Amino acid sequence: MSVIQVCIGSACHLKGSYQIIKKFQQEITKRGLEGKIELKGAFCLGHCTQGVSIKIDDQPIISVSEDSVEEIIEKISKE
């Protein structure tokens, strides 16, 4: 199971982290990946000036936007 952590700290919150969480939830449900992907909120992943940060397992991804969510989910679903 892959774990996606989306930063919900102050800087990422202001840059739209809750909309990104919502988009991840929609994509996970739409593709039936509830048993394969766990979505969590996380406080500060340490990249505050670079936009919404996420971590997939132990790999950070910086500057995530709503537009990049589908691509991220597609990549995870193929693993």
Side-chain angles (χ1 to χ4, degrees):
M1 174 178 283
S2 293
V3 177
I4 300 174
Q5 297 179 55
V6 180
C7 180
I8 56 172
S10 300
C12 288
H13 168 73
L14 293 173
K15 293 177 181 176
S17 63
Y18 285 96
Q19 289 81 5
I20 289 173
I21 289 171
K22 191 174 194 177
K23 181 75 172 181
F24 270 118
Q25 289 170 328
Q26 290 171 347
E27 286 299 313
I28 290 168
T29 301
K30 181 173 100 177
R31 297 168 188 247
L33 298 171
E34 295 90 343
K36 188 170 182 178
I37 299 173
E38 183 178 359
L39 183 62
K40 296 181 174 184
F43 287 101
C44 196
L45 296 175
H47 303 281
C48 302
T49 61
Q50 298 170 312
V52 178
S53 299
I54 71 168
K55 250 178 144 176
I56 299 174
D57 299 322
D58 288 326
Q59 296 183 345
I61 299 177
I62 315 300
S63 298
V64 174
S65 68
E66 286 184 71
D67 294 335
S68 60
V69 168
E70 287 184 48
E71 181 182 330
I72 292 167
I73 292 293
E74 184 70 27
K75 183 178 176 184
I76 293 171
S77 67
K78 290 181 179 179
E79 294 177 352

